[in-house]
């Protein structure tokens, strides 16, 4: 029997809020954020009591052209330090490293030499052995680690069970439930939360959630997972993120009852910085093509293309998705 953890009037000390604005939001603008924007976001997160700020990716410069992306695609140590200095705050710094897209042995330096606290390893279910290698490498260097298993909505249950056991036996600190396609409903999130929690409790791990908003359920799914014991909660300013975006940080701040979390600095950042981005033409957030890919449990790449081309033939788009080999 699944039990709820706490109630709406309580705060849980195990909860950690992770701001993923630069990393997931960077997928919208190729990581071209002004230093001033990133600095203000960092200062806002400190004021708001946010626990972790994810700066971006540790992507391979052999694989990705540095001229085609902003610096937060690569998160060089000096780039982060130019924003946070020695980070003499309670806010922890995180970066993401994708399996197969990072030169982790070259680009990730020992924790003792870095201002980064956590490396978040992102993997698909079929590359779990490579993810475990990265987890153990980063753990040995002294970092906190998480593993984000992407697109679990398309994976076989037996594969998920095996992957969770492998992660349980690894040195990873946090196992992430990721709704990559924004296709899961709260009832399914509840079941996944229970499955992940069972392994986490067995091996002494924490569980996190990273939700996408294709069906306007990112916030609902995040607080549903939270209600069933998931403690690391990803969110972004105004939901900024790939395609339909993510759980919005301001909504999460309004929900959580821990007095350390403060919504006003977040609202001030949205009004002063996010509004400007939108006025410059940076686009993200719920749109009908994303709803369609979410309903059909498909990667949103077709929806991203449709939104970019301003295609409003929604019914044709939806019918066409049925014929896709994706």
């Amino acid at each position: 029997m699944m039990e709820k953890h706490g109630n709406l009037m309580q705060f849980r000390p195990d909860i950690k809020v992770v701001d993923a604005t630069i990393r997931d939001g960077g997928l919208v603008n190729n990581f071209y954020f002004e230093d001033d924007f990133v600095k203000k976001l960092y200062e806002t997160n400190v004021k708001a009591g946010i626990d972790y700020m994810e700066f971006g990716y540790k992507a391979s410069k052999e694989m990705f052209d540095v001229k085609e992306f902003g610096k937060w695609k690569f998160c060089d140590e000096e780039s982060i330090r130019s924003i946070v200095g020695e980070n003499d705050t309670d806010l922890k710094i995180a970066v993401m490293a994708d399996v197969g897209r990072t030169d982790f042995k070259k680009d990730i330096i020992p924790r003792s030499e870095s201002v980064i606290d956590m490396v978040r390893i992102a993997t698909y279910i079929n590359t779990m052995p490579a993810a475990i290698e990265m987890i153990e490498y980063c753990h040995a260097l002294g970092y906190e680690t998480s593993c984000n298993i992407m697109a679990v909505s398309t994976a076989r249950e037996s594969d998920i069970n095996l992957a969770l056991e492998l992660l349980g036996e690894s040195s990873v600190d946090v196992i992430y439930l990721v709704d990559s396609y924004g296709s899961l409903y709260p009832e399914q999130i509840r079941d996944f939360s229970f499955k992940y929690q069972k392994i986490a409790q067995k091996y002494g791990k924490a569980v996190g959630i990273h939700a996408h908003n294709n069906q306007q359920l990112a916030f609902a799914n995040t607080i549903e997972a939270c209600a069933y014991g998931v403690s690391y909660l990803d969110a972004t300013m105004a939901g900024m993120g790939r395609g339909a975006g993510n759980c919005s940080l301001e909504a999460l701040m309004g929900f959580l009852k821990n007095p350390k979390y403060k919504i006003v600095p977040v609202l001030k950042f949205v009004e002063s910085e996010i509004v400007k981005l939108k006025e410059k033409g940076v686009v993200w957030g719920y749109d009908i093509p994303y709803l369609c890919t979410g309903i059909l449990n498909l990667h949103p790449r077709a929806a991203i293309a449709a939104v970019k081309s301003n295609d409003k033939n929604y019914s044709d788009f939806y019918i066409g998705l049925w014929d896709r080999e994706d």
Side-chain angles (χ1 to χ4, degrees):
M1 176 71 181
M2 278 186 284
E3 290 184 4
K4 288 203 168 186
H5 290 233
N7 60 51
L8 286 174
M9 296 307 292
Q10 292 176 315
F11 80 81
R12 298 210 326 260
D14 59 310
I15 286 174
K16 307 290 181 194
V17 175
V18 181
D19 168 48
T21 304
I22 301 298
R23 204 273 309 162
D24 213 316
L27 295 167
V28 174
N29 67 351
N30 282 345
F31 302 90
Y32 285 114
F33 292 101
E34 302 284 343
D35 280 3
D36 185 56
F37 178 96
V38 180
K39 179 79 170 172
K40 283 177 180 168
L41 178 58
Y42 168 71
E43 290 167 350
T44 296
N45 284 330
V46 171
K47 286 179 195 164
I50 304 304
D51 300 284
Y52 291 81
M53 177 174 169
E54 187 179 41
F55 269 72
Y57 284 98
K58 276 279 186 188
S60 166
K61 291 178 183 175
E62 302 292 315
M63 203 174 289
F64 298 97
D65 188 346
V66 292
K67 295 182 192 137
E68 291 182 15
F69 297 94
K71 59 187 169 185
W72 306 111
K73 177 83 170 175
F74 308 100
C75 284
D76 292 335
E77 185 71 22
E78 57 270 26
S79 298
I80 299 176
R81 284 184 183 271
S82 72
I83 303 296
V84 309
E86 289 297 318
N87 186 32
D88 186 20
T89 73
D90 292 333
L91 175 71
K92 290 186 174 181
I93 306 300
V95 293
M96 181 167 277
D98 271 351
V99 168
R101 295 182 179 184
T102 179
D103 299 319
F104 65 95
K105 289 184 179 173
K106 184 172 104 183
D107 294 335
I108 298 177
I109 62 177
R111 168 71 186 88
S112 58
E113 299 167 26
S114 177
V115 77
I116 296 165
D117 298 284
M118 173 183 270
V119 179
R120 285 155 51 98
I121 288 101
T123 182
Y124 288 103
I125 207 104
N126 62 323
T127 51
M128 191 54 65
I132 301 286
E133 182 194 11
M134 286 174 65
I135 288 163
E136 298 304 343
Y137 183 83
C138 294
H139 174 77
L141 289 180
Y143 292 98
E144 296 175 39
T145 57
S146 75
C147 186
N148 297 33
I149 313 172
M150 297 182 286
V152 288
S153 59
T154 63
R156 291 188 197 92
E157 187 164 9
S158 58
D159 289 346
I160 296 171
N161 292 340
L162 182 57
L164 292 176
E165 279 291 342
L166 288 169
L167 286 173
E169 292 166 359
S170 79
S171 301
V172 81
D173 297 293
V174 190
I175 304 170
Y176 258 86
L177 164 56
V178 185
D179 183 15
S180 302
Y181 300 169
S183 64
L184 297 174
Y185 297 101
E187 187 175 345
Q188 294 167 297
I189 289 288
R190 200 179 316 150
D191 291 341
F192 270 116
S193 298
F194 182 58
K195 181 192 288 290
Y196 280 52
Q197 283 286 100
K198 208 170 168 186
I199 289 290
Q201 286 166 12
K202 177 179 170 184
Y203 290 102
K205 312 294 186 187
V207 179
I209 181 165
H210 182 87
H212 278 266
N213 204 37
N214 300 58
Q215 299 187 87
Q216 303 210 79
L217 289 170
F219 174 57
N221 284 341
T222 299
I223 64 174
E224 185 74 1
C226 178
Y228 285 94
V230 172
S231 52
Y232 280 68
L233 312 177
D234 281 19
T236 62
M237 294 285 179
M240 185 181 187
R242 184 202 65 190
N246 304 94
C247 173
S248 76
L249 191 57
E250 59 276 15
L252 194 58
M253 289 288 97
F255 169 75
L256 295 172
K257 297 302 181 278
N258 188 338
K260 77 171 256 196
Y261 296 128
K262 295 177 170 54
I263 193 172
V264 172
V266 173
L267 296 176
K268 283 185 173 176
F269 182 84
V270 172
E271 73 188 44
S272 69
E273 302 304 319
I274 297 292
V275 169
K276 271 193 276 190
L277 276 188
K278 291 203 163 192
E279 285 170 351
K280 286 177 184 170
V282 182
V283 177
W284 71 87
Y286 170 80
D287 206 334
I288 289 176
Y290 297 124
L291 172 70
C292 296
T293 57
I295 290 168
L296 297 175
N297 193 19
L298 295 171
H299 190 289
R301 64 177 68 88
I304 291 169
V307 170
K308 199 173 275 186
S309 65
N310 204 29
D311 182 359
K312 298 287 196 280
N313 295 309
Y314 300 134
S315 55
D316 287 349
F317 177 79
Y318 180 70
I319 293 162
L321 287 173
W322 283 92
D323 301 326
R324 267 177 199 277
E325 292 290 336
D326 208 344

